[in-house]
Amino acid sequence: MDVKICGLKTREAVEAAAASGASHIGLNFFPPSPRSITPEAAADLVAHVPDGVKVVALVVDADDALLQAIWDAAHPDIFQLHGTESPDRVREIKARFGVSVMKAIRVADAADARSAEAYDGIADLILFDAKPPKDKDKLPGGNGLIFDWMALKAYKGTTPWMLAGGLDASNVAEAIRVTGAKAVDTASGAEDAQGEKNPDRIRAFVSAALQAQ
């Protein structure tokens, strides 16, 4: 079971995630998010990520300049594209940086899940997250919302996927049981408030996910 803790901002949170057995550390580079950090801050955080734990850089429709700044500062293992990036844009980023790309798909129903198939053979990983409400103040992800997990039965693609969307220590085992997920991700489920990670919640989430295997 792969477990990703996303939106980490402090050394304490990074170390808690890594020590608890998380496989992926997520850093957010989308400025409207309360979890967002700068490339310069990321450089300090990745210095505390042990070998074997993958660094994921979350961006939303980022331009080449931002991607390059993130790459120069943090050399992430994966770029997580959480915007409206097309299959061609995914190809461009992979070719430019020679790095794995995870494409986030916002899901409300079966048709949304099927839309991920457009990235087959292009993205290295799909992240299924809850589609946010239409409120203009909602973020593309990390809103603590759960979607209908049964919608994923419509996905017939071959690209491996990770499950996100309102997961926490109390529901991640059930989510894994229902969906058959081999990888899970949380941001808000390990926080006391948006952007404020709680090391105990991080440890509880990772433990619950790993025990659900």
Side-chain angles (χ1 to χ4, degrees), residues 116-159:
E117 295 168 21
Y119 296 87
D120 258 13
I122 303 169
D124 299 282
L125 193 66
I126 296 294
L127 177 76
F128 288 118
D129 198 358
K131 180 176 284 188
K134 294 182 179 178
D135 305 13
K136 62 179 181 297
D137 61 334
K138 291 298 183 183
L139 300 169
N143 293 301
L145 303 174
I146 299 172
F147 65 92
D148 180 4
W149 297 326
M150 299 304 291
L152 297 185
K153 292 187 179 297
Y155 174 65
K156 305 303 181 185
T158 59
T159 305

Side-chain angles (χ1 to χ4, degrees), residues 58-61 80-85 103-104 106 127 129 140-141:
L58 183 159
V59 296
V60 179
D61 297 313
Q80 176 180 328
L81 309 183
H82 219 103
T84 59
E85 300 89 358
K103 180 65 185 84
R106 305 168 200 169
L127 177 76
D129 198 358

Side-chain angles (χ1 to χ4, degrees), residues 173 206-213:
V206 176
S207 176
L210 294 179
Q211 290 179 32
Q213 295 185 63

